[in-house]
Amino acid sequence: MDAPTIPQNVQSILTRIRGDGDLRVWSVIVTIMGDTARGPGETVSGATLGALMGALGIRPEATRVALHRLRKDGWITSQRAGRGSLYALTEHGRAQTHAVADVIYGPGPAAPTTWHLVITVTAPDRIKHEDQLASEGFAEVAPGVFLGARSPSAPAGLIHFSDRAPALPDDLLTGFLPEATLVDARRLGSSLALLDKVDIPALDPLSKAALRILILHDWRRIALRLPPLPLPPTWPEAQLRNDVHRHLNDIGPINLHDLST
C-alpha cells in the first residue's frame, strides 16, 4: 500500500515552518523521541521513524547518518526487532529531554514578586558563580551583572540587590531576545495562523504527526533561546507559547500504532 500523501495545504504550512534553512536531522529525531518515547522502555520503530522523517522531506540517508551520530553520542540505543529496528533514548537522552520539557511544554515563567540583581565582578571564582547563576535562570544584562526572578543559592562573594517587582524598562527585556529568535518566532506565529484554517480532525495520522513534530521542533529551538525570565504577557513571544500549546492540543499526541500500520 502506498504511503499517504500529505495534503497540499498542510505541506505548504510545513514548508513555511521549516523556513529557508535545512533541518538539523539529528535534532528532529531528538524532538520525535522526546515527544513520543521519553519514558523508560518506550521505543520508536525504524519504520515509524522513517515515515515521519519522509513526511518532513528528510531523505533516508540523512536519517541513517543522524541515527549513527546519536548512538555514537550516547543519546539513543537501537535493537533489532524482526526485520527492523527499535530505537530508545538512553538514560542520558531521557535526562536531557526531561530537563527541557517544562520549557517546551510548560506555561512559561510566572511573574515574580521580587527581582534579584547580582554582580559577580568581586567574586573570587567569577566563572563558576556565573555558570551557577545561569543554571538558576539568571540572565546577564551587562558583563558581570545578572538579573533573576529568585534569590541566588550561593550569594557568598557576590553583590546582591533585590527589589519587589520594579517596573523594568522594555528595552532591557527586549535586549534578551536575539534578532534571529524574533524572526523565527514571527515566522512560526504566522504559520500557526494559517493552521487555524485547516480541519485538523479530518487529517490523516501522518499529516497530523508531521505537523506536531515540526511545530514542536521549531518551538523547541525558539523556546530554548528565550531568556529564562518572565516575558510580558502582551509580547508576541509570550503569546506564541499559548498558540503553540493550543495547536498541539488540537492535533493531539502521536499514536505510533497508527503510523506503523
Side-chain angles (χ1 to χ4, degrees), residues 170 173 177 230-240 242:
D170 280 351
L173 295 175
L177 299 173
L231 296 177
T234 55
W235 280 22
E237 294 72 36
Q239 294 175 2
L240 179 60
N242 295 330

Side-chain angles (χ1 to χ4, degrees), residues 115-123 126 129-130 132-134 136-163:
W115 285 103
H116 297 267
L117 195 71
V118 178
I119 300 173
T120 63
V121 293
T122 59
R126 179 174 170 180
H129 279 297
E130 291 182 351
Q132 179 63 30
L133 288 170
E136 295 177 12
F138 279 76
E140 192 170 17
V141 299
V145 182
F146 289 77
L147 181 68
R150 61 173 178 165
S151 181
S153 61
L158 303 173
I159 300 173
H160 173 209
F161 301 94
S162 63
D163 195 351

Side-chain angles (χ1 to χ4, degrees), residues 46-94:
T48 297
L49 194 59
L52 273 171
M53 301 297 272
L56 299 178
I58 297 173
R59 299 189 309 275
E61 314 88 79
T63 300
R64 286 194 292 270
V65 170
L67 287 170
H68 175 75
R69 173 182 174 179
L70 289 169
R71 284 195 297 266
K72 182 179 178 181
D73 291 347
W75 269 84
I76 64 171
T77 62
S78 63
Q79 63 184 70
R80 298 297 297 177
R83 300 170 69 178
S85 298
L86 294 176
Y87 297 93
L89 289 169
T90 62
E91 289 188 13
H92 166 73
R94 285 199 304 274

